Amino acid sequence: MSLLTLENLSVTFGKFRAVDNISYSVKEGEVLGIVGESGSGKSVSSLSVMGLIDYPGEVSADNLSFADQDLLSMPEKQRRKITGSDIAMIFQDPMTSLNPCFTVGYQIIEALKTHDGGNKKVLRARALELLNLVGIPAPESRMNAYPHQLSGGMSQRVMIAIAIACNPKLLIADEPTTALDVTIQAQIIDLLIDLQKQKQMGLVLITHDLALVAEVAHRVVVMYAGQIVESGPANEVFSTPRHPYTQALLASLPESASGKARLEALPGVVPGQYDRPQGCLLSPRCPYATDHCRHVAPDSQGSLERQVKCHTPLDAQGRPAA
Amino acid sequence: MLSFVLRRLLQAVLVLLTISFASFMIQGKLGDPVRQMVGTSVSVEQREALRDELGLNDPTLVQYGRFLGQALQGDLGTSYYYKESTLTVIANRLPATLELSFCALVLVIVMATPLGVFAAINPKNWLSRSILLFSTLGLSIPIFIVAVFLMYFFAIEWRLLPSFGRGDTTQVLGLWQSGLFNKDGLMHLLLPSVSLAFVMTPIFIRLIRAEMIDVLQSDYIRFAWSKGISAPRIYFIHALKNTMLPVITVGGIQTGTLIAYTILTESIFQWPGMGFLFMDAVTRVDAPLISAYLIVVGLIFVVTNTLVDVVYGLVNPRVRIPGYSA
């Protein structure tokens, strides 16, 4: 059964479409990787799932539902109840995402109290259990620590503890390891995947790290300039990318440049609000772009299982179809 | 904690030394005290004798040393006008000023916090815009205009409130003349403290609003929203505590402004406090009283700012004062 479903979701800030008609779904116990360059709308789309898009941002969708409940039409109060309990999120920068004025224990217990309630003793025991679960040594003493007394890795563990406090069915991790150093990154990802398997959560993993997605994700969504350019089962997308952008992303990995003097790179940057090209958004950077691409925007082809947004999707040999 | 207190004490001593030196130097320039004391019928020789007796012919530094020595024994000189120890004169007036400042401060906190928070949460709302407009007005209207207007309407036109003095006071704990415990005293307190609060509130509204807007953009507030916590909790617990940090510091510094404004407020409302006393002392060229006032005010300033630092350390876990256990 589908846990989270997005159909043609858009997020607009004034005239600017940060997220442009995207559709994907996450099943129970599934890991979905969302990849793309900075500014491609990865974070904004997940914030809209959490209901955290502030004025002047506007969210519209044909369907945005979680466990068959329509998130957009339900009363605000009910949505706030789901937020943080059934759907939880962890953010990029753990050092600034915990409130500096409150202890770790206070912030964990607060999440528990908001959604589950219970007396002080039970809540405290539960918080300790959570700290244990996310692998924090000496949790008793950490309960009274303030965020500034924790390292980045520790803070991220605390944030994960808070996010999974109410046993969410879906966890969104927005670049959970970007701000951490490499050795800690692996630990945090291992922890996330362990927890995901243990609790059979759906996990949306937003990241720049293609290797990571290839390793842990069941399905992958590739975003570019607010649009989903390709999505599908991770092994398929990585072995036979059908969109030139995905192909370019994979080619830019150091692994595919062995023996070469320089890494492959796609020239140019993601278009922003003022430099949107006509036609296909990738056309100025795409090596295969034709006149048709530069004038007419492509539609998504294929099913939700395997979609690609290109006039001339690549074939198994990585060449554009005629 | 001990090293913190010691360091603070050292700072306090330095501040007070500087103030005492400045105020002492002023004393020498405020005209001839002998003439103030004896009038015109006394001969030049007698005046000279009195000068010698008072030590006014000694070099300035010797005089200053003597002044310091006496100050250390709690003697800041004798007021020319009251013929009493200046400290006693000031101590008698201190309760009136402290009560006025305290009430003004309570009003400032009660008004500035909700208004500032509201303006930060709803930046586009017309009410927020009016709050900002009001605060700009409040910042630009001097206190003597506010006070005179309030007095004109409430005391003269509508005869609702008394226009001057402290009214009835009650003795508290044997040494404190308080106007807080009877109706007449409170009625008298109303206009002066409202005027004082009126000029102090705007800066705090603006400060709280600006800080709060910043805090609401922060990562930890976004994370708090994602936890599903209720909006009031996010605004008044998560955001407000962080907002208050700079506000507390500025609050300490604003003590100086508050003291300056009490001088004006007290003069306008004939409030028998230190500020009014100071104005009187200035018009009477009561030099010892003037310098004693300056030193006492300096002391108040240092003490409040020390307290503010302690409170800051309690609120902000990141700057726990060294040696101050959490």
Side-chain angles (χ1 to χ4, degrees):
Chain A
M1 193 194 82
S2 183
L3 196 58
L4 174 75
T5 309
L6 279 70
E7 270 171 46
N8 294 327
L9 177 117
S10 296
V11 183
T12 50
F13 294 89
K15 280 189 175 157
F16 177 59
R17 280 184 171 241
V19 174
D20 191 3
N21 277 315
I22 65 168
S23 308
Y24 66 79
S25 67
V26 186
K27 295 188 191 67
E28 269 171 31
E30 185 181 58
V31 180
L32 174 77
I34 302 185
V35 295
E37 283 169 272
S38 301
S40 58
K42 308 184 297 287
S43 300
V44 176
S45 59
S46 43
L47 286 174
S48 71
V49 173
M50 297 295 289
L52 295 181
I53 299 291
D54 284 331
Y55 182 85
E58 259 178 72
V59 182
S60 61
D62 292 344
N63 181 11
L64 171 61
S65 61
F66 175 77
D68 289 331
Q69 306 166 77
D70 187 350
L71 289 175
L72 287 181
S73 66
M74 73 171 52
E76 181 64 20
K77 228 180 171 169
Q78 198 185 340
R79 182 152 194 204
R80 296 288 302 151
K81 255 186 206 151
I82 293 180
T83 308
S85 61
D86 287 341
I87 315 177
M89 184 162 178
I90 57 176
F91 292 91
Q92 201 175 119
D93 194 343
M95 303 292 270
T96 56
S97 289
L98 296 172
N99 192 323
C101 281
F102 296 95
T103 60
V104 165
Y106 181 92
Q107 297 188 52
I108 300 177
I109 288 173
E110 183 182 38
L112 289 167
K113 206 155 91 186
T114 307
H115 296 290
D116 297 351
N119 67 43
K120 250 188 179 167
K121 235 177 164 176
V122 176
L123 289 172
R124 206 184 142 77
R126 183 94 178 84
L128 277 174
E129 197 184 303
L130 282 164
L131 285 179
N132 252 325
L133 191 63
V134 295
I136 285 184
E140 277 284 353
S141 64
R142 295 295 173 196
M143 286 286 278
N144 299 321
Y146 284 93
H148 72 279
Q149 295 164 321
L150 304 177
S151 66
M154 282 293 172
S155 303
Q156 191 57 285
R157 284 173 195 272
V158 170
M159 189 147 54
I160 293 173
I162 293 172
I164 62 167
C166 303
N167 293 313
K169 300 195 184 87
L170 177 71
L171 180 64
I172 301 175
D174 186 357
E175 303 190 29
T177 57
T178 305
L180 305 174
D181 64 55
V182 184
T183 47
I184 308 296
Q185 284 183 0
Q187 293 177 14
I188 294 293
I189 291 297
D190 284 349
L191 172 67
L192 274 176
I193 298 300
D194 271 358
L195 289 169
Q196 183 269 330
K197 287 192 176 127
Q198 234 178 74
K199 296 181 178 275
Q200 275 303 297
M201 294 184 289
L203 175 65
V204 175
L205 188 62
I206 301 172
T207 177
H208 297 292
D209 190 342
L210 288 172
L212 173 68
V213 172
E215 200 178 319
V216 303
H218 302 124
R219 294 173 46 76
V220 57
V221 162
V222 183
M223 288 190 72
Y224 181 79
Q227 301 177 336
I228 291 180
V229 291
E230 181 166 6
S231 72
N235 51 1
E236 273 184 41
V237 171
F238 286 119
S239 60
T240 49
R242 302 204 60 207
H243 197 282
Y245 182 65
T246 318
Q247 188 185 45
L249 274 185
L250 291 169
S252 71
L253 288 178
E255 287 85 340
S256 36
S258 55
K260 292 182 193 158
R262 292 179 67 87
L263 298 181
E264 289 284 332
L266 196 59
V269 292
V270 182
Q273 181 173 4
Y274 302 107
D275 53 358
R276 295 221 128 190
Q278 244 196 325
C280 173
L281 293 179
L282 187 68
S283 59
R285 302 174 71 187
C286 180
Y288 312 119
T290 60
D291 261 359
H292 185 56
C293 298
R294 284 184 203 100
H295 291 101
V296 183
D299 288 325
S300 275
Q301 303 181 15
S303 65
L304 213 54
E305 275 302 301
R306 185 88 171 89
Q307 55 179 338
V308 57
K309 199 185 187 75
C310 184
H311 289 304
T312 54
L314 308 177
D315 59 19
Q317 277 74 48
R319 281 188 295 266
Chain B
M1 188 70 188
L2 190 68
S3 73
F4 167 73
V5 170
L6 282 179
R7 223 161 351 119
R8 264 303 158 141
L9 272 178
L10 188 72
Q11 280 175 18
V13 169
L14 283 176
V15 169
L16 289 180
L17 263 180
T18 318
I19 295 176
S20 72
F21 186 71
S23 61
F24 182 79
M25 293 318 283
I26 296 170
Q27 253 191 56
K29 306 276 178 267
L30 286 178
D32 183 0
V34 172
R35 195 148 125 210
Q36 303 273 341
M37 289 167 87
V38 294
T40 45
S41 59
V42 180
S43 73
V44 179
E45 290 74 30
Q46 279 172 311
R47 281 166 195 256
E48 246 348 273
L50 190 56
R51 274 178 181 287
D52 271 337
E53 196 187 318
L54 290 172
L56 293 174
N57 289 333
D58 296 339
T60 317
L61 269 184
V62 175
Q63 287 190 47
Y64 179 58
R66 192 161 51 226
F67 173 77
L68 273 188
Q70 285 167 348
L72 283 180
Q73 294 163 36
D75 176 11
L76 289 179
T78 306
S79 157
Y80 297 151
Y81 178 77
Y82 293 94
K83 309 276 188 273
E84 244 186 303
S85 152
T86 48
L87 273 185
T88 319
V89 176
I90 291 175
N92 285 336
R93 304 293 192 97
L94 192 64
T97 299
L98 286 186
E99 279 180 8
L100 173 62
S101 311
F102 173 75
C103 289
L105 204 65
V106 169
L107 284 175
V108 169
I109 294 170
V110 167
M111 291 199 293
T113 315
L115 292 181
V117 169
F118 181 85
I121 297 174
N122 313 290
K124 304 260 171 189
N125 187 294
W126 64 270
L127 196 59
S128 307
R129 288 167 197 262
S130 349
I131 291 172
L132 279 187
L133 186 72
F134 155 80
S135 70
T136 315
L137 271 172
L139 274 179
S140 43
I141 300 177
I143 187 168
F144 47 85
I145 301 219
V146 176
V148 167
F149 263 94
L150 285 176
M151 192 194 276
Y152 177 74
F153 285 109
F154 286 93
I156 298 167
E157 282 291 314
W158 302 329
R159 300 188 173 277
L160 293 172
L161 292 166
S163 63
F164 70 92
R166 252 189 118 186
D168 293 343
T169 53
T170 31
Q171 187 96 351
V172 181
L173 298 173
L175 37 83
W176 186 280
Q177 289 291 338
S178 175
L180 291 175
F181 298 99
N182 63 69
K183 200 180 158 226
D184 190 55
L186 285 174
M187 294 283 271
H188 278 82
L189 198 55
L190 210 53
L191 279 186
S193 51
V194 167
S195 331
L196 200 52
F198 190 91
V199 290
M200 299 289 289
T201 306
I203 186 167
F204 283 99
I205 292 182
R206 293 188 151 256
L207 190 67
I208 290 174
R209 172 184 169 273
E211 271 308 316
M212 185 94 169
I213 286 178
D214 259 12
V215 168
L216 287 178
Q217 309 279 336
S218 65
D219 288 349
Y220 54 84
I221 293 300
R222 193 178 55 179
F223 185 55
W225 282 112
S226 85
K227 280 160 82 178
I229 306 169
S230 69
R233 242 191 112 74
I234 286 176
Y235 292 136
F236 288 100
I237 294 183
H238 280 262
L240 194 59
K241 200 169 173 192
N242 286 283
T243 302
M244 279 309 172
L245 297 176
V247 178
I248 290 170
T249 314
V250 174
I253 297 163
Q254 287 287 320
T255 325
T257 321
L258 185 70
I259 290 168
Y261 282 142
T262 55
I263 298 178
L264 292 169
T265 319
E266 289 181 4
S267 307
I268 294 163
F269 291 99
Q270 304 281 296
W271 188 262
M274 282 165 59
F276 190 33
L277 181 74
F278 177 69
M279 283 306 278
D280 267 358
V282 170
T283 34
R284 292 184 185 122
V285 205
D286 195 340
L289 195 51
I290 294 176
S291 44
Y293 172 85
L294 292 178
I295 289 172
V296 169
V297 163
L299 192 67
I300 292 176
F301 195 77
V302 171
V303 169
T304 1
N305 275 287
T306 308
L307 285 179
V308 162
D309 282 358
V310 172
V311 171
Y312 189 85
L314 290 177
V315 179
N316 187 353
R318 280 165 299 183
V319 288
R320 284 270 187 260
I321 295 147
Y324 189 108
S325 56

